Amino acid sequence: MRSGIGDFVRAGVCLLLAVILLGASWPLWQFAQQARQDDVDFSKVAIVENGHRTGQLKVCGDVYRKPNCVQRERVTLRDANYSIKRSRTKYTLELTRSGHRTLEVSYSEYRSHEERDSVYGRARAGEPVTLLWWRGSVRMIQAGKDVGDDRSVVRTSHYPGRLFTAPAALASALWGLGLGPLWAGMWLLLRGRRNPLTMAWQWLAPVLALATAGDIGALAALVEPRPRAVVLSFAVAAVGLLVPALLWLRRWTRTRLPRKCDVEPVEPVEVHAVDGAVCGTGPWKLAIRGPLYVGPDVIGTTPDPGAKVALKPLPGPLRVTTVRPPYRSDPRAVRRYSIQPYLDEEARARRAANTHWYNSRSQQTQPTHPLVAVCEVLDGPGRGSEVLIGAPEQDMPEVLGAIAAHARRRS
C-alpha cells in the first residue's frame, strides 16, 4: 500500500526550489571568480589590451573609465625606512597625498637599498613618486621622471580579497541550500512512496548536512578568499557530514523497522466506537469515513454516529499477523498522528448534549499514538490479501479481541 500524491507534490516543490537556488548561485560564483581575477591579476589588466601586449598602462582618463582602468596619483615623500629580513629588504615609504592625508606603504624587494636606481633610492633622492591604484588598493609604485623610460617600478602583492568574499560566500550558502532540496526531491520521487518509515529521515538528514556544508564553504570564503579553498571546504564538509549521516540512517532503519508491539487481545463487552480505520484492496477498500465499531462478536463501520443503523461488518474473517507502529507508506487513514481518544457511551452522551457531533470531532484533544494491525484475509472476498486496521494504542486490545471474535463467528 502506498500513500497519496503528497510525495509527488513535495518533490516538485523541492526540485523547483533547488533549480532556483542553484541557478542563482552559478552567476554569483562566476562573478566572484572574475572579481578575484581582477583583484590578483593586476599585471594582465595593466599591460594587456585587446589580447595584445602594449607596454602601456590603462590609466583612467579620456579613453578608459573606472573601474576598468588604473588610477594614477602623485604623492610626496615624507620619510623612508627599510629593514633587512633574510635575503629580502622590506621598505616602508611614508607619503603625503592630496589634502595633507598621510599614507604608509610597505613592500619587499630583492634590490639593495644602496642602489640609486631603485624605487627607494629614487624616492630618497627626491624624484617624483606616483602611486597606481587598482580597485581601491595600491598595485604599483613608480619613482622617476614622468617623461621617457627613466623610472623604476615596483609591484605590490597586496590582495584585499573583498571583491571575491561576499559573492563567493553567498554562492556557497546557495549551493548547500540548493543541493539539499535537490536530494530531497529525488529521494521523494524514487523512494518516498515506498519508504516504510513514518518520519522520512532519509531526506531530512542529508538536507541539513548539505546546508551545513554550504555554511562551512561560506566561512572558508571569509577566512581564505580563494576559489579552491571554498570548493574544497564545501566538498570535504559535505562528504564528512553525509557519510556518517547515511551510515547512521542505514543502521537506524534496520533497527527501527523490525520493531513490533506486544498487545494482548481483550474482547469488548459491548458495541462502541473507536476512532480507527480499515484499509485494503477490493471489497476491503471501505469508502465509509466514519469511526470503527467493535463489539463482542462484530467489527465494522457505519455512517451513523450512534451506530444505531446501517452497521456494516467486515466482509470476512481476519487473522492478525503483527501489530506495529504506522509506516509512512501506509494509507493516511491508518497512520494519523493525532487520534481522538476513546469515549464511553456516557461521555459521548454528555458531549452530544452540549454540542453537535461534527463539532466535537474538530475539537483539539490529547494526541495519542496510533498502532496498525496487519491482518490476512482467511476466507471470502480477497482471500490471502493484506488488510490494515489502524486505531489508538489504548483501543487496539479491544480491536484485536473483536477481530478474533469475528473470525470465530465466521468460521
Side-chain angles (χ1 to χ4, degrees), residues 117-134:
D117 59 343
S118 65
V119 171
Y120 178 79
R122 290 177 181 270
R124 294 278 295 184
E127 297 188 19
V129 178
T130 303
L131 301 181
L132 298 178
W133 294 81
W134 171 248

Side-chain angles (χ1 to χ4, degrees), residues 153-399:
V153 177
V154 61
R155 297 181 184 272
T156 65
S157 58
H158 177 61
Y159 169 46
R162 62 179 179 270
L163 299 177
F164 170 81
T165 297
L170 185 57
S172 178
L174 290 179
W175 286 348
L177 295 177
L179 290 177
L182 180 63
W183 181 295
M186 297 302 296
W187 188 90
L188 289 170
L189 286 177
L190 299 177
R191 289 288 302 167
R193 289 167 60 86
R194 297 186 297 273
N195 186 67
L197 292 179
T198 301
M199 291 298 294
W201 297 106
Q202 285 89 340
W203 69 266
L204 183 59
V207 166
L208 296 178
L210 290 172
T212 305
D215 295 338
I216 294 177
L219 182 62
L222 299 176
V223 176
E224 183 66 23
R226 292 185 296 111
R228 183 181 178 85
V230 176
V231 174
L232 284 179
S233 300
F234 180 85
V236 171
V239 173
L241 294 174
L242 270 178
V243 172
L246 295 178
L247 291 177
W248 172 77
L249 286 172
R250 183 172 178 268
R251 181 178 180 275
W252 184 76
T253 301
R254 291 190 171 187
T255 57
R256 167 82 176 181
L257 288 181
R259 192 181 70 173
K260 299 179 182 179
C261 302
D262 296 329
V263 180
E264 293 294 332
V266 175
E267 187 170 345
V269 296
E270 61 179 357
V271 178
H272 61 271
V274 173
D275 198 350
V278 180
C279 292
T281 58
W284 294 91
K285 190 175 182 181
L286 302 181
I288 299 176
R289 300 299 182 185
L292 183 68
Y293 284 85
V294 297
D297 57 353
V298 65
I299 177 172
T301 59
T302 176
D304 179 19
K308 303 299 182 181
V309 296
L311 181 61
K312 183 180 179 181
L314 298 184
L318 299 175
R319 180 176 63 88
V320 179
T321 58
T322 184
V323 179
R324 56 169 175 78
Y327 287 169
R328 191 171 182 271
S329 53
D330 293 339
R332 183 177 296 274
V334 300
R335 60 178 178 90
R336 283 174 290 181
Y337 296 99
S338 296
I339 296 181
Q340 181 177 349
Y342 165 71
L343 299 176
D344 57 20
E345 294 298 331
E346 295 182 1
R348 286 182 179 273
R350 290 194 301 267
R351 175 171 290 185
N354 296 329
T355 183
H356 295 291
W357 177 81
Y358 60 85
N359 286 334
S360 66
R361 288 183 58 84
S362 63
Q363 293 179 355
Q364 293 184 356
T365 57
Q366 185 68 25
T368 61
H369 299 284
L371 295 178
V372 175
V374 182
C375 307
E376 179 187 359
V377 180
L378 298 177
D379 197 5
R383 181 177 181 179
S385 62
E386 186 180 77
V387 176
L388 302 181
I389 300 179
E393 60 178 349
Q394 69 268 19
D395 294 330
M396 184 56 72
E398 291 187 333
V399 172

Side-chain angles (χ1 to χ4, degrees), residues 33-48 53 70 134-135 139 155-156 158-159:
Q33 286 184 312
Q34 184 60 41
R36 183 180 185 276
Q37 184 178 1
D38 293 343
D39 233 351
V40 301
D41 203 5
F42 171 75
S43 60
K44 181 184 294 185
V45 176
I47 62 175
V48 175
R53 290 185 175 273
V70 180
W134 171 248
R135 295 187 182 272
R139 299 306 176 88
R155 297 181 184 272
T156 65
H158 177 61
Y159 169 46

Side-chain angles (χ1 to χ4, degrees), residues 7 14 74 111 170 331:
D7 286 332
C14 289
R74 178 69 64 84
R111 301 181 68 176
L170 185 57

Side-chain angles (χ1 to χ4, degrees), residues 76 78 93-105:
T76 303
R78 293 182 57 186
L93 303 180
E94 189 175 343
L95 308 171
T96 302
R97 304 175 63 187
S98 60
H100 302 286
R101 295 175 298 170
T102 60
L103 175 67
E104 185 176 290
V105 179

